[in-house]
Amino acid sequence: QVQPVESGGGSVQAGGSLRLSCAASGYTGSSNCMAWFRQAPGKEREGVAIIFTGSGNTDYADSVKGRFTISQDNAKNTVYLQMNSLKPEDTAMYYCAAEGGERLYGGSYYYGWFFGYWGQGTQVTVSS
């Protein structure tokens, strides 16, 4: 069972930067990809960035492309989200998720992959 734990959230001014970390405990060897999601109050949860663990290939939501970078450190079993040029509309709870898990217990699809292992989230607030 994979247990992602996020950290690194906080409050910053517009134009600032934050780096989120996702430490995934437990066995993650069977996860084909990891992803970051976010959810703002009153809005749907959306995928932000994905990384395919084997190849290192990445993709991003159009709203963050060019500003955010997802990366991985396999030795530390950790995934990062570097967020630059932050905007107020980036304000949300950010969640790290790992591909896999039991669909019966819920989860989300992103790029056709099922993400069933979720962290508790870390809050990012960007002020004007």
Side-chain angles (χ1 to χ4, degrees):
Q1 184 172 333
V2 180
Q3 296 175 280
V5 179
E6 306 95 334
S7 62
S11 298
V12 297
Q13 295 284 332
S17 298
L18 284 173
R19 189 182 74 159
L20 306 184
S21 297
C22 173
S25 63
Y27 180 68
T28 60
S30 62
S31 292
N32 294 290
C33 45
M34 300 284 290
W36 287 93
F37 295 79
R38 68 185 182 186
Q39 187 169 26
K43 296 189 176 183
E44 294 282 338
R45 185 167 59 191
E46 63 175 340
V48 175
I50 187 169
I51 184 165
F52 294 88
T53 55
S55 66
N57 289 342
T58 61
D59 211 344
Y60 303 87
D62 289 341
S63 60
V64 307
K65 197 157 191 173
R67 300 187 297 119
F68 290 12
T69 303
I70 187 171
S71 61
Q72 63 183 352
D73 185 336
N74 290 328
K76 296 181 178 180
N77 210 27
T78 300
V79 175
Y80 303 95
L81 185 68
Q82 178 66 47
M83 305 184 294
N84 298 325
S85 302
L86 283 162
K87 304 174 180 179
E89 51 262 45
D90 294 318
T91 295
M93 184 72 74
Y94 283 71
Y95 299 91
C96 178
E99 182 270 335
E102 176 55 60
R103 289 160 175 78
L104 180 66
Y105 301 143
S108 295
Y109 286 90
Y110 192 36
Y111 282 91
W113 297 90
F114 178 76
F115 292 83
Y117 302 113
W118 292 81
Q120 292 294 307
T122 186
Q123 179 67 39
V124 172
T125 302
V126 185
S127 60
S128 300

